[in-house]
Amino acid sequence: MPVMHRTNRLSNRLSLVVASALVAFVALLPFGTSASAQDSANQLEQLNSRKRDLDTKVAAEDKTIGDADSTIASLAREVQKSAVKIE
């Protein structure tokens, strides 16, 4: 019996050491979003916001260019009519 008692004590100590190591390991695992992932998410949102702003500005410039093209075409027709009248 004394050998079995010693084996049980050793087994209990080993179990305690393994359980303690497991608890320590789990405690080191990050929970939730890490700071680096959060920074990346924030940076991505800022870049997406900037892209939306630039897309809006590009659309406004495209409209301005379209309006200018229409004005130029209208003035070119007027110049052509005037040239015909002069002849």
Side-chain angles (χ1 to χ4, degrees):
M1 235 7 168
V3 172
M4 187 165 212
H5 183 65
R6 220 179 309 155
T7 305
N8 280 343
R9 229 182 317 160
L10 184 60
S11 177
N12 288 343
R13 284 184 183 169
L14 182 60
S15 296
L16 182 61
V17 169
V18 169
S20 297
L22 183 61
V23 168
F25 175 74
V26 169
L28 294 175
L29 293 175
F31 290 101
T33 306
S34 69
S36 178
Q38 187 63 39
D39 290 344
S40 295
N42 288 341
Q43 186 178 20
L44 179 61
E45 180 53 38
Q46 288 174 353
L47 290 172
N48 283 332
S49 176
R50 179 77 173 133
K51 182 186 178 301
R52 286 189 300 270
D53 291 345
L54 291 173
D55 286 344
T56 300
K57 288 179 182 179
V58 167
E61 292 299 325
D62 282 345
K63 184 181 179 330
T64 301
I65 290 169
D67 292 346
D69 285 344
S70 294
T71 301
I72 291 169
S74 176
L75 291 172
R77 283 190 300 274
E78 291 298 319
V79 167
Q80 190 176 22
K81 287 179 188 177
S82 296
V84 168
K85 286 180 182 177
I86 292 175
E87 292 177 5

